[in-house]
Amino acid sequence: MARRKSPGKRSDTGVSGTSRLPSPDPVTNLVIADIVLRGAGSLLRRKLEKGLITGQLDGDKARRLIEGRGMVSSVALWSASKLATRSPAGLAVVAGGLAAKVLYDRGKRLEAKRRARKHGDSES
């Protein structure tokens, strides 16, 4: 019994029938998808960063902090994200580094509070 081709499915030769994709060339469709996904991801990332920082800083200061990121910082963030997405070991390294940074920041904050409390008690 011969199989019938359904519309929109690829034939044995790799040529596709009718398609809802913007271009008949698959490479062009991949490029379009990549541009759209990167653009949407970038917009989402900026909105998320501003939302996270705005709770801690005023709007103008948060905007300058996000938009004023230097080249070294951008390359470091890009490198860390690539390392984290390529392997479980890379993810563990990046997550461990972030956890260490969080603990370091909390320790600095607690130390500053202790010093302020101690300094305030000695003035009384």
Side-chain angles (χ1 to χ4, degrees):
M1 183 170 170
R3 287 179 45 178
R4 292 184 352 193
K5 286 193 223 177
S6 59
K9 297 280 184 177
R10 291 190 179 271
S11 68
D12 293 340
T13 61
V15 178
S16 61
T18 59
S19 174
R20 295 183 188 167
L21 297 174
S23 172
D25 183 15
V27 175
T28 303
N29 291 328
L30 284 175
V31 169
I32 291 169
D34 189 44
I35 291 169
V36 169
L37 288 173
R38 286 177 191 262
S42 188
L43 288 173
L44 179 63
R45 185 181 320 107
R46 282 196 191 126
K47 288 288 187 186
L48 185 62
E49 286 173 343
K50 283 183 184 179
L52 289 171
I53 291 179
T54 304
Q56 296 174 341
L57 304 172
D58 66 4
D60 189 45
K61 207 173 202 180
R63 183 182 51 77
R64 280 184 289 154
L65 184 65
I66 292 169
E67 293 174 1
R69 193 177 289 149
M71 181 62 88
V72 173
S73 174
S74 296
V75 169
L77 289 171
W78 177 82
S79 300
S81 69
K82 284 295 179 186
L83 180 64
T85 57
R86 291 195 178 191
S87 70
L91 177 59
V93 167
V94 172
L98 291 172
K101 173 68 170 136
V102 167
L103 293 173
Y104 174 77
D105 289 344
R106 285 185 180 183
K108 294 283 275 186
R109 187 184 70 213
L110 290 173
E111 184 63 32
K113 279 184 180 181
R114 281 189 207 120
R115 276 193 216 141
R117 203 174 328 137
K118 184 178 178 183
H119 197 61
D121 290 345
S122 64
E123 288 181 6
S124 298

